[in-house]
Amino acid sequence: MENKLKIGIIGLGTVGCGVVKVLSQFNDIEIVKAAVKNLSKKRSVKIDNLTDDPFQIANDPDIDIVVEVAGGVEIMDALIAAIKNKKHIVTANKELLARHGAMLFDLARENNVVILYEAAVAGGIPIIFPIKTSLLANTFNSVAGILNGTTNYILTKMEEDNLSYNECLIKAQKLGYAETDPTGDVEGYDAMYKIAILANIVFNLRVDISKIYCEGITKITAEDIKIADELGYKIKLIAQAKRINKANRDDILDIRVHPMLVSKNKPLANTKDATNAVLLNGFPVDRVMFVGPGAGEFPTASSVAGDILSIKSEISQRTNILPMAVCHHNEYAIQIKIEDTINCYFLHIEAKSEPGIIGKIGCACAQFGINISYVIQKGTTEDGRATIIVLTEECFEKDMNAMIEKLELENLIKVKNKIRVM
Ligand SMILES: NC(=O)c1ccc[n+]([C@@H]2O[C@H](COP(=O)([O-])OP(=O)(O)OC[C@H]3O[C@@H](n4cnc5c(N)ncnc54)[C@H](OP(=O)(O)O)[C@@H]3O)[C@@H](O)[C@H]2O)c1
């Protein structure tokens, strides 16, 4: 067939192979060339024209769209070359976009090409395009989600099987849900890149990832999960971005990633295993949630292939394609520090079991203007230590930290975990 759309793929790993398989169903799309790191590696797909130099793709005059599914930031120079060569880009690379998206989108705009990245956030869930199209009439107050399947799988298994974090991590690694080095997932960085990208398009503001507070799940214990369950909550790694209405400004954002207690009545609490979910809150739509597979060969390839086909459907029709996909905003958000955020808290405390200990915790809370909504002592150990659980009403993070510091300095308590409540 004449006028086939010519694709160059950088990366033939999990996602790249899925993309090749999915695109093989389309007679009018041709994969001209693919770049990999290791030419001799066995793969589940066969590409005739294989190279280990991504610039051979970026500089190939035959290629219309460069599909970047290699990952990492090192691939950026090849993408810059591709954009300068007027090639459209489809990428799944959240880290690259979260770190260098502003520069890449500016460059794409200058060169009248688009960068589409549906797969970069929540894998197979369509979220970027719905925000940019169907939900365009909305002003959003917040976006929150479970954006990392690995951590959601681990937390689900800790809860269902009453296992430790380490036991569940090993299980996740055996099943291929977690990488050998799981840092990017379990420390929250993967979710941080995704919420940065989401905040960017939800609020039309650029985001500095170095200012996003990020805390992973490694300190969550099976005991925390069990106690939270008794109180009616699940523990989830939540990535969220909220608009803070202050001083008549609409560019102040609270963006963060950390574990949270989520009431079992809330839909995010019931998002299990490796499933992802994104909850948007805005006017006029109110609350809308997207749920689905956040990763995996075919779900992710679905989003990548969708982006390729979107470009294909427009490419022959106009010179300035997919105007809605172009990044139009230049302003940076003002991002508030975690100390200045307001939250409800769950405190898992180990204290000396002595008369009046709960009263002392109550007094310290009162001193810092913190209202307790629930407190319980869950027995005493043989060596005289009491487990005390406190739930608080909303207070400033800095006041909570100061209260904890005071009690710990007085050697009265040790906070085993402080988890914010959604
Ligand atoms: N896996 C998922 O479910 C998923 C979901 C959403 C988004 N993503 C994103 O999709 C991207 C790819 O993920 P993946 O899981 O498919 O990774 P992967 O399985 O590790 O595959 C990466 C591929 O890129 C190739 N590669 C790496 N650096 C390269 C370079 N400098 N030049 C040429 N080729 C290079 C590798 O070559 P070799 O094979 O020769 O080593 C490999 O084929 C990442 O940005 C990831 O964050 C993945």
Side-chain angles (χ1 to χ4, degrees), residues 10-16 35-38 41 43 52 54 69-72 75 92-94 119-120 123 294-297 300:
I10 307 177
L12 280 183
T14 307
V15 181
V36 293
K37 225 172 191 171
N38 177 356
K41 204 189 251 185
R43 304 178 194 278
D52 59 3
V69 282
I75 210 67
N93 194 335
K94 56 228 145 194
E297 177 179 7
T300 313

Side-chain angles (χ1 to χ4, degrees), residues 347 349 355-372 375 388 390 392 399-400 402-404 406-407 410 412-413:
L347 299 177
I349 294 170
I357 184 67
I358 288 184
K360 285 177 187 164
I361 294 170
C363 285
C365 283
Q367 191 186 333
F368 290 93
I370 299 167
N371 276 352
I372 292 176
V375 60
I388 297 170
V390 175
T392 75
D399 291 334
M400 173 54 66
M403 190 280 290
I404 292 172
K406 174 187 156 60
L407 284 174
E410 289 170 8
L412 286 170
I413 65 162

Side-chain angles (χ1 to χ4, degrees), residues 223-224 227 231 346-362 365 372 374-381 384-391 407 412-418:
E223 197 187 4
D224 292 325
I227 297 168
L231 297 174
F346 162 95
L347 299 177
H348 182 168
I349 294 170
E350 188 181 85
K352 274 187 195 165
S353 183
E354 59 182 31
I357 184 67
I358 288 184
K360 285 177 187 164
I361 294 170
C365 283
I372 292 176
Y374 178 91
V375 60
I376 188 170
Q377 178 166 344
K378 294 184 73 67
T380 308
T381 58
R385 316 227 131 247
T387 294
I388 297 170
I389 302 299
V390 175
L391 287 177
L407 284 174
L412 286 170
I413 65 162
K414 182 173 174 338
V415 172
K416 288 174 87 178
N417 227 333
K418 173 190 85 180

